[in-house]
Amino acid sequence: MTVLKTLFAGIVLSVVSSLASAATNPLSVHVLNLQDGLPSAGVNVTLEKQSGKSWNMLNHATTNEQGRVTGLYPEGQALEKGTYRVTFKTGEWFAAHNTSSFFPEVPVIFEVDGTVPHYHIPLLLSPYGFSTYRGN
């Protein structure tokens, strides 16, 4: 009984921690594999901000078991207006799953205008196509 209580408490704490991070961090991503309808755990993701004609690396992370990165923006920093690029390293992920793919990476460039407190970038992925949109 004590083991079950400890396990349950750990699960609850993990969920609460993820929700708290998502609530305080202004940027999250989510990757779903359309080939099997499952979340894509283990996708490497980078975040960059445009500065003139170059891109400055801000952060990188790997999607969790749910295919999510709940806090991609650097912790403790305020989201600034500007142009950002989230790059999903899809070729690495498909190679790790012994699947051929056409896109070695999927860059998503988007504009932060400050009108909303949180930006969410979902990626619907298959070996030969993808779709993305501004989520919430």
Side-chain angles (χ1 to χ4, degrees):
M1 183 79 163
T2 303
V3 172
L4 288 176
K5 286 181 182 179
T6 303
L7 180 61
F8 181 72
I11 291 169
V12 169
L13 183 59
S14 175
V15 169
V16 169
S17 176
S18 290
L19 291 174
S21 176
T24 60
N25 194 289
L27 179 62
S28 58
V29 300
H30 190 192
V31 184
L32 292 171
N33 182 356
L34 293 175
Q35 187 173 7
D36 59 15
L38 298 173
S40 299
V43 176
N44 292 316
V45 183
T46 61
L47 172 65
E48 301 164 285
K49 184 172 190 238
Q50 190 173 36
S51 177
K53 293 186 180 201
S54 62
W55 293 94
N56 296 324
M57 176 66 72
L58 296 179
N59 203 4
H60 60 87
T62 303
T63 57
N64 64 18
E65 310 81 41
Q66 300 169 342
R68 298 178 183 273
V69 174
T70 58
L72 187 56
Y73 201 74
E75 205 58 44
Q77 294 184 26
L79 182 64
E80 299 174 355
K81 292 181 182 180
T83 303
Y84 291 83
R85 178 170 61 192
V86 169
T87 303
F88 299 90
K89 306 295 185 174
T90 54
E92 296 172 358
W93 188 84
F94 278 118
H97 291 85
N98 298 315
T99 302
S100 297
S101 109
F102 186 66
F103 301 101
E105 59 184 28
V106 175
V108 178
I109 299 172
F110 61 100
E111 192 75 30
V112 168
D113 60 10
T115 59
V116 296
H118 182 84
Y119 292 80
H120 182 66
I121 311 293
L123 178 67
L124 304 175
L125 181 64
S126 75
Y128 297 99
F130 65 88
S131 177
T132 187
Y133 56 95
R134 178 178 155 182
N136 58 22

